Amino acid sequence: QVQLVESGGGLVQAGGSLRLSCAASGRTFSRSSMGWFRQAPGKEREFVATISWSGGATYYADSVKGRFTISRDNAKNTVYLQMNSLKPEDTAVYYCAAAPLLTPAQAMYRYEYNYWGQGTQVTVSS
């Protein structure tokens, strides 16, 4: 069992930065693939980024590649999403998710994840 709590969302101007954190409880965190997803009003939840259990492999949606960075600290049971050069279209609720070890192909699909946080709102003004 893994419980996830996101934090760090807020209101920022276009071009600004935010750092989201996801604190996990449960002994299986270090063996879990972790992902960030987002959901804008009226849209489906979409993949943003994922990181392997060791942190050695990361993958990003094309829309955030080069601007967002996912990382994790297994000693602190925490995964991060550093978001730079934010755009109004990045506005959404951001969710952290966890699953037992996933392949890169699996890790981009929300249905592969067993555990979800409650989400944190990110709003980017133009």
Side-chain angles (χ1 to χ4, degrees), residues 36-63:
W36 285 98
F37 291 76
R38 66 186 182 187
Q39 188 166 15
K43 295 187 177 181
E44 291 202 354
R45 194 169 299 188
E46 65 175 4
F47 168 75
V48 175
T50 185
I51 188 166
S52 62
W53 68 272
S54 67
T58 58
Y59 301 92
Y60 299 90
D62 288 343
S63 58

Side-chain angles (χ1 to χ4, degrees), residues 37 47 50 99 102-113 116:
F37 291 76
F47 168 75
T50 185
L102 299 176
T103 66
Q106 292 173 317
M108 291 181 280
Y109 292 95
R110 58 188 169 111
Y111 301 107
E112 297 288 350
Y113 289 83
W116 292 85

